[in-house]
Amino acid sequence: MNDVSNYSVVGRIGEGAHGLVFKAKYLPTGREVALKKILIKNLEDGIPVNVMREIKALQLLRCKYVIKLYDMFPRGMSLVLVLEYMCSGLWDMLHHHQAELTMPRVKTYAQMLLKGTRYMHAHYVMHRDLKPANLLINYKGILKIADLGLARLYWPDGGRPYSHQVATRWYRAPELLYGARYYNEKVDLWAIGCIIVEIITKQPLFAGESDIEQLAIVLQRLGTPTEETWPNHSELPDYHKITFPESTPMPWTSLLPGVEPDAIHLIKSFILYDAQKRISAKEALLHPWFQRIPLPAPMEDMPRPTGNKIK
């Protein structure tokens, strides 16, 4: 295990939920890394459970499309995670860069996200907070899934309860909005559908200002759920706490004007009330939308990356 003397801090990248993130150089090799410094508030209580989950998930997952954890070491009252340095993030790419994302690159990013998710789900890890800000991009244009602080192992038979207070609101599956405690990796698939829409249109699909507004927008656009579209939804913990006006589903062509039919078909396969019917990451990679992807433009044509957005 290394210590801080092996690293030369180059600059501060940002502030995450649990501490500061710095860009640094690993002196023995000159490799650029990100140092995520997590304050341990009370040493007697040990390392916070979500930090341990992130470490365990990163140690378990060895995939080109999931960020690498190189090392970790204690530093005073903090634990420092040494992560792969990523020069940019998808959120930046969508909201801060004027350069247009070409359709080949849109498809390539979506493919990388699905490959990383397929790998996580094959190892029974659900991320539970997929969103553009947690998808980072390196100098080579490779997109990687980061910030696994909410990741959990799940069992295919869904035998144990989890917190429903996960996933950033815009990407939160409707079962979570209704307080579900028993759920599985299908919550990640709903989020992926929302992310693909945002990569294509640069606008979030469901942008609620509160949990109730979030649910209202989903119901207004997808229509009031029925037993057919969402079996047993009325048994969810928070279902009877609030009622919404009856609504009929909006046509996807008016929700996503100008988006090609193959893309809409794929998005619709993720954005389903019935979690069991959502397309898996593995199946989605075989979708016709991904066939005939032209090669992306050379790297010189890519928007120049800004700061690392590890949260």
Side-chain angles (χ1 to χ4, degrees):
M1 186 182 277
N2 290 295
D3 63 25
V4 76
S5 64
N6 283 304
Y7 298 91
S8 161
V9 173
V10 180
R12 181 167 152 178
I13 294 166
E15 196 159 346
H18 300 286
L20 300 174
V21 185
F22 299 93
K23 180 181 178 183
K25 196 162 273 190
Y26 180 53
L27 295 172
T29 63
R31 174 160 60 190
E32 289 181 319
V33 295
L35 301 180
K36 186 172 180 177
K37 188 177 177 186
I38 298 160
L39 181 66
I40 311 294
K41 291 190 175 74
N42 186 343
L43 288 176
E44 289 172 12
D45 293 343
I47 297 169
V49 66
N50 55 327
V51 176
M52 281 310 300
R53 281 181 194 148
E54 178 166 20
I55 292 166
K56 290 284 180 206
L58 288 171
Q59 287 173 333
L60 173 69
L61 301 172
R62 292 273 175 235
C63 173
K64 181 179 179 182
Y65 305 108
V66 177
I67 198 164
K68 283 191 185 73
L69 173 68
Y70 293 129
D71 199 0
M72 58 187 149
F73 53 85
R75 167 81 171 149
M77 294 285 284
S78 299
L79 179 69
V80 178
L81 304 188
V82 182
L83 296 158
E84 199 172 356
Y85 175 70
M86 305 291 282
C87 59
S88 186
L90 186 61
W91 197 90
D92 268 353
M93 208 66 93
L94 296 178
H95 299 287
H96 289 167
H97 290 288
Q98 297 313 305
E100 200 55 42
L101 271 183
T102 61
M103 191 47 66
R105 197 165 295 288
V106 164
K107 291 186 183 187
T108 304
Y109 286 155
Q111 239 182 355
M112 291 172 183
L113 166 59
L114 285 165
K115 284 178 178 175
T117 304
R118 176 183 64 185
Y119 182 90
M120 284 192 309
H121 291 175
H123 290 77
Y124 300 110
V125 172
M126 53 179 168
H127 187 284
R128 303 198 302 172
D129 196 18
L130 289 176
K131 58 182 177 180
N134 286 342
L135 303 174
L136 305 182
I137 298 165
N138 69 11
Y139 286 125
K140 294 179 180 173
I142 307 290
L143 177 143
K144 303 192 184 217
I145 296 168
D147 207 334
L148 283 89
L150 287 173
R152 290 294 296 268
L153 280 169
Y154 66 90
W155 276 254
D157 61 3
R160 55 182 297 180
Y162 303 101
S163 166
H164 65 282
Q165 292 295 346
V166 294
T168 302
R169 186 182 301 115
W170 294 354
Y171 312 95
R172 195 178 296 164
E175 59 268 33
L176 297 176
L177 291 166
Y178 271 131
R181 301 296 304 276
Y182 291 87
Y183 55 85
N184 56 22
E185 83 288 1
K186 309 284 193 212
V187 299
D188 289 345
L189 302 171
W190 174 279
I192 286 172
C194 297
I195 292 165
I196 290 175
V197 169
E198 203 165 331
I199 302 175
I200 294 172
T201 66
K202 295 201 174 183
Q203 299 292 327
L205 180 58
F206 307 117
E209 295 293 314
S210 67
D211 289 0
I212 288 175
E213 190 191 7
Q214 186 70 24
L215 197 45
I217 292 170
V218 171
L219 297 181
Q220 177 199 349
R221 296 189 167 188
L222 299 188
T224 304
T226 62
E227 269 306 303
E228 193 182 343
T229 59
W230 192 358
N232 306 321
H233 67 281
S234 57
E235 293 168 24
L236 289 166
D238 298 342
Y239 179 76
H240 294 288
K241 290 186 181 173
I242 184 163
T243 53
F244 296 94
E246 290 279 319
S247 59
T248 52
M250 293 171 66
W252 277 96
T253 47
S254 63
L255 281 176
L256 300 175
V259 174
E260 60 181 307
D262 272 350
I264 288 180
H265 183 271
L266 175 61
I267 291 158
K268 274 167 42 178
S269 308
F270 288 114
I271 308 285
L272 289 167
Y273 283 135
D274 185 351
Q276 297 316 309
K277 291 194 173 152
R278 288 174 202 153
I279 192 170
S280 71
K282 185 178 180 180
E283 292 163 341
L285 283 161
L286 303 173
H287 192 275
W289 189 56
F290 291 117
Q291 310 313 318
R292 304 179 302 281
I293 301 183
L295 284 171
M299 287 304 298
E300 300 80 66
D301 298 348
M302 270 190 80
R304 283 315 299 154
T306 55
N308 191 344
K309 286 288 174 191
I310 292 181
K311 290 283 197 295

